Amino acid sequence: MNNHVTVLEIDGKALEHNLNYFKGKLQTATKVLAVVKAFGYGSDGVQVARFLEHKVDYFAVAYTHEGVALREAGVQTPILVLHPHLQNLQAIIDFQLEPGLYNFTIFNAFLKLTREKSLDQYPVHLKFNTGLNRLGFSAAAIPEILMHLKAPTALKIQSLFSHLAASEDAAEKAFTSNQIEQFTAIKEAVCAALAYTPMLHLLNTSGVVNYPQAQFDMVRIGIGLYGFGNDKKETAQLKNTHNLKSIISQIHPIAPGETVGYNRAFAAKAATKTATIPIGHADGLSRRLGNTKGFVRIQNQDAPIIGNVCMDMIMVDVTHIDCNEGDAVIVFNTQEMIQHIADISETIVYETLTAISPRVHKTLKT
Ligand SMILES: *Cc1c(COP(=O)(O)O)cnc(C)c1O
């Protein structure tokens, strides 16, 4: 049970709005895979997947145990595990997950396991490297892959996929077009040798926006579902899904000359009123937001974080805010606030969202 008063409210209506926004950019036959890895980008992968279950065609997670959690929660939609390992292959089968096979170690091991278990047509996905140089077979591996698939096998190649390295970057159009061409060539080489046609998918959120001609059979949408597009204009068309809230635990009057927090980082020059909020860096609020770089909202006003962010708490300046212990605090509830935190933390919103730790109570509202 998690009854922490610091709560991340996931806005189901906003998730649905964002999903429909991207569906509007797709051809009617293009399938949608919702990426719910990393706890649904710092929210709650299980609650998000349950909510989206009948609105999308596929889910993807990074690791096997993330997929197991979805199955244990009753999610029945196909789940692609992007990055399985040898140790997890049995669990993949036990929980009817679909592995992304990215090298011969994992490919051969899965082939062997499915054969031993006399499985039939077990769906797997072949991941190809077209320039990200992270995970995936090279095109040179195709003859060997096909050789394995020629013999009777328990596998069904459900899809071929690759991942773009810089889909959000207009300056990398030539590189991205080359990735698309490579993927197309891979598809032709593999499909020519198979008696059936696997699905093809390449695009992430920014890819859908910038390279709609390469949507193939399915697209993989992550950050866009959670309210962030390629630029400000597009983000403005999306709705914020992550609302982080807390309450005031205690209010302190601070006399001039007194200090607040660890290392006495804030020293009051004048009479100051502070509020202590039960959220700290262990909840995912970066320590870089301390010393007035970040703020929260109380009674519709900005309250700057003073002193250092503690592990479990922050202290904010409420000298000019009429507020009481127990009052509501908004850590963020707009894309602008999340972007601001990411900017101050010198990172991207992906990291700001996924940093929200499991200690925070997560609840999806519709
Ligand atoms: C995380 C991930 C995605 C989602 O990317 P977004 O930019 O969040 O849409 C898609 N495909 C793969 C392979 C990923 O690892």
Side-chain angles (χ1 to χ4, degrees):
M1 174 187 83
N2 181 341
N3 63 358
H4 195 10
V5 297
T6 298
V7 179
L8 182 79
E9 277 180 18
I10 309 150
D11 186 335
K13 287 216 172 66
L15 277 173
E16 197 169 351
H17 168 91
N18 298 340
L19 174 64
N20 290 334
Y21 173 85
F22 289 101
K23 279 186 176 170
K25 293 185 173 286
L26 300 176
Q27 283 143 31
T28 40
T30 307
K31 292 186 162 69
V32 176
L33 174 153
V35 181
V36 295
K37 63 190 178 189
F39 302 103
Y41 288 49
S43 64
D44 184 308
V46 165
Q47 292 185 60
V48 168
R50 274 183 161 162
F51 178 71
L52 294 179
E53 177 148 29
H54 301 292
K55 304 177 178 74
V56 299
D57 302 284
Y58 251 89
F59 289 116
V61 292
Y63 297 109
T64 304
H65 70 279
E66 299 178 307
V68 170
L70 299 189
R71 285 286 183 253
E72 284 180 334
V75 172
Q76 298 195 353
T77 304
I79 300 171
L80 164 57
V81 178
L82 294 164
H83 196 171
H85 293 90
L86 290 177
Q87 298 85 319
N88 318 127
L89 297 183
Q90 183 61 52
I92 294 253
I93 292 171
D94 292 344
F95 289 89
Q96 301 269 306
L97 304 170
E98 303 183 7
L101 304 177
Y102 51 88
N103 65 12
F104 282 113
T105 308
I106 214 92
F107 179 87
N108 288 331
F110 201 71
L111 199 64
K112 182 162 171 276
L113 193 60
T114 50
R115 202 171 274 149
E116 280 165 10
K117 299 196 163 290
S118 314
L119 298 178
D120 188 32
Q121 302 271 301
Y122 197 96
V124 301
H125 304 256
L126 297 182
K127 171 83 173 274
F128 285 93
N129 174 26
T130 53
L132 180 59
N133 289 322
R134 188 173 73 172
L135 215 54
F137 285 107
S138 73
I142 293 174
E144 192 175 338
I145 294 172
L146 292 177
M147 189 193 75
H148 284 292
L149 294 177
K150 221 179 254 162
T153 142
L155 303 187
K156 172 169 182 237
I157 310 302
Q158 183 77 357
S159 85
L160 311 178
F161 72 111
S162 187
H163 195 35
L164 298 175
S167 60
E168 75 286 1
D169 191 346
E172 295 290 359
K173 259 208 159 91
F175 185 90
T176 305
S177 301
N178 179 271
Q179 282 197 278
I180 296 169
E181 280 165 29
Q182 282 189 58
F183 183 61
T184 306
I186 288 165
K187 157 205 138 179
E188 274 157 19
V190 177
C191 291
L194 289 179
Y196 54 94
T197 310
M199 280 196 301
L200 305 164
H201 48 109
L202 176 66
L203 303 180
N204 67 334
T205 299
S206 320
V208 171
V209 176
N210 293 331
Y211 302 93
Q213 75 281 9
Q215 54 189 261
F216 296 100
D217 300 309
M218 185 161 78
V219 297
R220 305 186 301 268
I221 303 181
I223 197 73
L225 275 179
Y226 307 102
F228 289 87
N230 220 26
D231 53 34
K232 271 196 182 140
K233 223 175 101 201
E234 182 154 63
T235 295
Q237 307 215 47
L238 300 171
K239 290 194 172 151
N240 185 48
T241 55
H242 285 48
N243 299 296
L244 188 54
K245 303 178 173 179
S246 192
I247 59 171
I248 298 175
S249 298
Q250 194 172 12
I251 290 180
H252 288 283
I254 309 291
E258 283 193 290
T259 61
V260 175
Y262 286 132
N263 314 105
R264 308 185 65 201
F266 173 82
K269 291 199 183 76
T272 302
K273 184 171 67 166
T274 67
T276 301
I277 322 293
I279 181 169
H281 58 74
D283 299 291
L285 202 64
S286 171
R287 200 162 174 278
R288 296 195 184 197
L289 299 174
N291 301 304
T292 70
K293 295 210 176 65
F295 64 92
V296 299
R297 301 273 296 165
I298 295 171
Q299 304 289 4
N300 289 318
Q301 294 172 70
D302 290 358
I305 299 171
I306 57 171
N308 288 318
V309 171
C310 310
M311 186 183 293
D312 314 307
M313 282 166 263
I314 51 173
M315 281 70 86
V316 301
D317 186 346
V318 290
T319 308
H320 304 291
I321 302 177
D322 182 14
C323 59
N324 297 296
E325 293 171 353
D327 280 2
V329 175
I330 289 165
V331 182
F332 54 70
N333 65 352
T334 64
Q335 291 116 312
E336 292 74 21
M337 288 178 89
I338 296 168
Q339 186 67 57
H340 176 73
I341 292 174
D343 292 345
I344 292 171
S345 312
E346 294 178 51
T347 186
I348 54 176
V349 293
Y350 291 79
E351 185 178 349
T352 301
L353 295 181
T354 57
I356 306 163
S357 90
R359 188 166 73 178
V360 173
H361 179 65
K362 317 270 176 85
T363 172
L364 189 142
K365 300 240 155 120
T366 51

